[in-house]
Amino acid sequence: MTLRATPQIGHSACPHDCPSTCALDVEILDSHTIGRIRGAKDNSYTAGVICAKVARYAERVHHPDRLLKPLIRKGAKGGGEWQEISWADALDLTAEKFLKAEEKYGSETVWPYYYAGTMGLAQRDSINRLRYAKKYSNMFSSFCTNLAWTGYMAGTGALRGPDPREIAKSDCVVIWGTNAAATQVNVMTHAARARKERGAKIVAIDVYETATVRQADIGIVLKPGTDGAFSCAVMHVLFRDGLADWDYLNRYTDAPKELEQHLQSRTPQWAEAITGVCVEDIEAFARLVGTTKRTYFRLGYGFSRQRNGSVNMHAASCIAAVTGAWTLEGGGAFHSNSGIFGMDKSEIEGSAFADPSIRALDQSKIGRVLTGDAQALYSGVPVTAMLIQNTNPANVAPEQRLVHQGFMRDDLFTVVHEQFMTDTAKMADLVLPATMFLEHDDIYRGGGQQHVLLGAKLIEAAGEARENLYVLNELANRLGVGHMAGFNLSARQLVDNLLTKSNMPDFETMRQQRWLDKQPDFETSHYLNGFAWPDGKFRFRVDWQKQTSPDRPPQAMGLQGPFADMPEFPDYWEVNEQADPQHPFKLTTSPAHNFLNSSFSETPTSLAKEVRPQLLIRDDDAAELGLADGARVEIGNERGALVLYVKIQLAGGAKKLRRGVVVSEGLFPNSSFEGGEGINILTGADAAAPHGGAAFHDIKVWIRPCEDQAAQAA
């Protein structure tokens, strides 16, 4: 009998766009091969638990469809014909095209474009060093955090909160606007511990019956974009019933009496008509959090992805200030710890080379930019050359039809550095194979927790895949800026320098200790020494035009959306797309359990579990349209239309979808849809107030039975 050797265990961090940034233990079978991935048991936040899609990461690393060689387009754009090209020739061609574009239009015609396909600071953010050195167009990041961060910081003044591990010490955990059971499993780990050890109640607030709502003790389903109304009614009850902590309010908040007066008309009856949540459930939730002071509000990103998202986030964060929950361990309102780390990325990003006179183009408006919209281009030159890393805009960006039209331009030269032939790569002129996180060095930080984590290279790269830094350094040399500071350094050198400048242990020390806990002390985390405003007061009254956050647009762009109309106090701000007779439904595009944005949609297990693009709809709404479970249905608006398969939602009571609300989980590749267009053809790119951001979950639509279904019904 042959005994199987125990695999070597390597240590890393999950690189994906998820707040958990889990500490990982990786089975290394040989220099090119991994086995199972597990959560690090000795990391106090990860606590040995990770999501199933990362546990089976070997499916991604060793996928037969990984890009392994550079490819150049043959034939028409998007035609799918490719031929191999050497790395040297591919990089020479890229530099040649960029230089010719600059010669014709100036440097701003080149637009390096990236996002969070990796959250590693060296590999993700070094593209900005090339951008700044060459004076290429800047990119205003607007896919994810703008609305949430702005809204949270409107109250606290800083982007930090109570230690997320304190969830386990809470008597009530409110998980609001995030499907933690699918996308942040560690939140559920600590919440379940609180329930088991302390008898804590878990409350989940969302717009449909997610896995988190199913696992919660109390599930509250409201209409999309109405979280502000729900929050106001809850605070109304707290003030009305003597559950507001006036000692805390007078000491730590700016305008408690004015807030109480403002909320007198925001009754549960008023909120029921807006949210769809009945008066009894609003009252019960208010009593629960009002009588359970040790309540931990875990505020996610999902409910902020509305045109009124910043107002909603601020309103939800105010509840903990009214109850005084901040004073107790296991209490308070947490959204992100992204402000605690103090990591000096100046060398990685080349910030010394940045020129404020160079225009910034809105990431979410890529479709408008590439189709020549003068306003989106800030009346500047067209974009005629792009380098794209770590993102898949042909699938994930709003106004997908415009994005597709833009990429099809004959005068646009596009280089995509990717791991798979994504929807964006299919439309490129040149596709370069990229490494995965286990095949290069990097450093990570967890916005949903408190650790800085090292991710050292554990295996050799597959085929001819190269890391982001290789591409950027080689292009810098060919474009005449390779001599500038920061270029031609390895990822390890950049990480080491970052750690030194940030007063943290060096690379080798971090390799041994694996992570560094950066959670501030209790008083700082709970703002017991004052909130991060000059007077130390939590802000109920907000001056949105002066509000600051890391996502504030550059001065040349100015504030975004109808910022002048934003309410001064927490409220229901009726600025969203409204259902109307032509578009009687509101659509939310929520994350699927087995995908993460457009990642994992190529792995066989994830695809098998998600099956096909579906539309979740109430049974009575479906009946009115004559739809049966599994029926093909067309869904659309003025931006486009596509076909989905009906999945009737049968949940009852408080967990039932509200009338006129439908959900499509994703993101599936565009090729998974009939016609080859994905769900984001329905999504608008209008900038939300006040700091921009795409309202991915704020979409009005019509729904029609497909012709073949209608004929069968007749």
Side-chain angles (χ1 to χ4, degrees), residues 39 202 255 451 453 579 636 639 684:
I202 300 175
H451 292 103
L453 304 99
R639 302 178 189 106

Side-chain angles (χ1 to χ4, degrees), residues 584-657:
F585 290 89
K586 287 299 298 285
L587 168 69
T588 291
T589 56
S590 300
H593 188 87
N594 291 284
F595 300 155
L596 200 164
N597 301 325
S598 67
S599 296
F600 298 96
S601 62
E602 69 288 318
T603 55
T605 301
S606 289
L607 279 172
K609 287 179 178 291
E610 296 300 335
V611 186
R612 63 187 181 185
Q614 295 180 315
L615 185 73
L616 277 64
I617 186 170
R618 276 175 66 117
D619 48 2
D620 42 7
D621 280 336
E624 283 191 5
L625 293 169
L627 300 174
D629 203 52
R632 292 171 64 251
V633 66
E634 190 176 26
I635 176 172
N637 55 27
E638 70 278 4
R639 302 178 189 106
L642 46 75
V643 173
L644 298 170
Y645 290 84
V646 168
K647 184 177 182 181
I648 294 178
Q649 218 249 9
L650 297 173
K655 297 183 179 182
K656 193 178 185 73
L657 266 172

